[in-house]
Amino acid sequence: MFFYQTSLTSAGYKFSIPYLNPLIRPLLVVLLSVVASFSFSKTPGLVVYPGYESEYYLSVLLRHTLSYSPDIDYEVRALGADIPKDRNFELLANNDGLDVVFAGSNLEREQKYRAVRFPLFKGLYGWRIPLVRGTNVALFADIHTLEQFKKLKPGQFHTWSDSLVLESNGITVVKGSDVEGLFGMLSKGRFDYFPRSILELDYDYDQHKHFNIAIDPYIIMHYPSAFYFYVSKENTVLAQQLLQGLEMAHKDGSMDALFMRYYGEQVNAVKSAKRRLISLDNPLLPKETPLERKDLWIDLL
């Protein structure tokens, strides 16, 4: 029998198929339509987030938040791949396999994507404690004013938005192109301190203490910072469901309980240390940030 390649379109997709016989062709059209419907349609109620399946706070909170939805039985899954954050947002914007992204707030990001403006970490990423050289633990012992603080140079990764926050406050930032390399740069005196959020501080110290670094005991830095769920601009239904679920979890106390289960130890440790506050502004934060709702934020002083 003579074979040759031809093509047909089914469910909006073009397929190349061998031509066998006029009687078989209609059956192939039906078969390919079924395959296309399974391969390219999205499961109703499926919500995919970046990374891998885990019991990480944000993935647990996402599932808990969507459990409040009265009309949709949501299924929450991880993407199953670890890809850069910029690529996550591209997939989100194109409705290409991601429905929710977890990320910090800034002006550019909130213009491009739909932020669910409910701070998931209660502003903890804006509370920062410096790592210093082990031979210079007293670096901040006599620092009491912002003007004194500005004379010291922090180290930061070159793409972090925190660098812009520090620079906008008149602080000279030393930037590196490798996050791990920043710990070595600190130990060699390339800059004076490396500010880390209290969510990162203990882990970073434990993993890099062989560089002879130390946790500063004197000060805590703070600037307003928000971390949100993001969805695509068009996905208003999911955004509404997420905001509604977060408000309900906040009202019944379950979000606070979940937050403290994951981060209560760090929060209580910082509160008991009684450090001096260095307060900074954050001009990157949109004016729509709900800073006036004091119940959504945590105060570590």
Side-chain angles (χ1 to χ4, degrees):
M1 185 177 294
F2 181 70
F3 290 82
Y4 66 88
Q5 291 294 116
T6 186
S7 65
L8 60 85
T9 300
S10 176
Y13 294 88
K14 190 173 184 179
F15 299 90
S16 292
I17 63 172
Y19 180 80
L20 295 174
N21 155 332
L23 296 176
I24 295 176
R25 184 179 175 88
L27 295 176
L28 286 174
V29 172
V30 173
L31 177 61
L32 289 172
S33 297
V34 172
V35 171
S37 68
F38 277 103
S39 301
F40 301 105
S41 64
K42 178 174 169 56
T43 303
L46 176 63
V47 174
V48 180
Y49 64 90
Y52 295 94
E53 294 289 346
S54 71
E55 288 302 304
Y56 177 48
Y57 167 70
L58 289 175
S59 58
V60 173
L61 179 60
L62 176 61
R63 286 188 173 88
H64 182 61
T65 299
L66 290 175
S67 72
Y68 287 88
S69 174
D71 303 318
I72 304 174
D73 184 16
Y74 281 105
E75 178 185 358
V76 179
R77 291 184 197 165
L79 178 65
D82 190 9
I83 58 179
K85 186 168 290 184
D86 287 348
R87 179 59 179 152
N88 285 333
F89 275 109
E90 287 179 15
L91 295 176
L92 184 74
N94 295 326
N95 296 309
D96 189 13
L98 275 183
D99 303 288
V100 178
V101 170
F102 320 131
S105 169
N106 59 51
L107 289 166
E108 180 182 2
R109 192 168 283 163
E110 292 203 29
Q111 288 169 357
K112 291 182 177 179
Y113 315 102
R114 185 176 296 277
V116 180
R117 293 193 180 96
F118 194 107
L120 306 178
F121 286 109
K122 299 179 177 290
L124 275 188
Y125 270 109
W127 292 91
R128 297 185 170 253
I129 293 174
L131 290 172
V132 297
R133 292 188 296 282
T135 56
N136 200 17
V137 178
L139 177 67
F140 292 101
D142 296 318
I143 301 297
H144 294 271
T145 68
L146 183 57
E147 290 307 311
Q148 291 175 313
F149 182 75
K150 288 179 181 180
K151 295 177 182 178
L152 300 174
K153 295 180 181 180
Q156 291 278 280
F157 187 59
H158 66 106
T159 64
W160 286 345
S161 59
D162 306 293
S163 301
L164 298 176
V165 173
L166 294 170
E167 288 172 338
S168 71
N169 283 270
I171 297 168
T172 300
V173 177
V174 177
K175 298 174 185 177
S177 58
D178 177 59
V179 176
E180 288 298 309
L182 290 169
F183 296 94
M185 291 173 67
L186 173 62
S187 70
K188 293 175 182 177
R190 304 282 179 83
F191 48 80
D192 298 306
Y193 65 98
F194 188 12
R196 308 304 290 142
S197 82
I198 73 159
L199 300 176
E200 305 158 324
L201 182 69
D202 291 338
Y203 177 83
D204 282 351
Y205 171 70
D206 288 340
Q207 294 297 307
H208 301 93
K209 56 188 175 184
H210 58 279
F211 283 109
N212 190 26
I213 60 176
I215 297 174
D216 169 70
Y218 296 104
I219 70 162
I220 186 167
M221 304 161 56
H222 177 256
Y223 52 83
S225 174
F227 201 99
Y228 296 141
F229 290 137
Y230 287 85
V231 301
S232 66
K233 281 287 190 180
E234 300 78 23
N235 202 346
T236 57
V237 172
L238 182 57
Q240 291 168 357
Q241 295 286 339
L242 286 167
L243 183 58
Q244 175 182 296
L246 287 166
E247 292 285 4
M248 294 176 72
H250 175 61
K251 185 176 181 179
D252 67 23
S254 59
M255 181 178 177
D256 284 348
L258 183 65
F259 176 84
M260 292 304 288
R261 174 153 64 89
Y262 279 85
Y263 304 115
E265 185 176 343
Q266 293 99 310
V267 167
N268 292 331
V270 172
K271 281 186 172 182
S272 65
K274 305 298 182 184
R275 288 177 167 86
R276 292 191 302 276
L277 175 65
I278 300 294
S279 185
L280 304 174
D281 296 324
N282 184 358
L284 305 183
L285 209 59
K287 65 180 184 303
E288 294 86 359
T289 307
L291 295 174
E292 74 285 352
R293 290 188 59 184
K294 302 301 183 185
D295 56 314
L296 300 184
W297 310 90
I298 196 163
D299 188 345
L300 296 181
L301 298 181

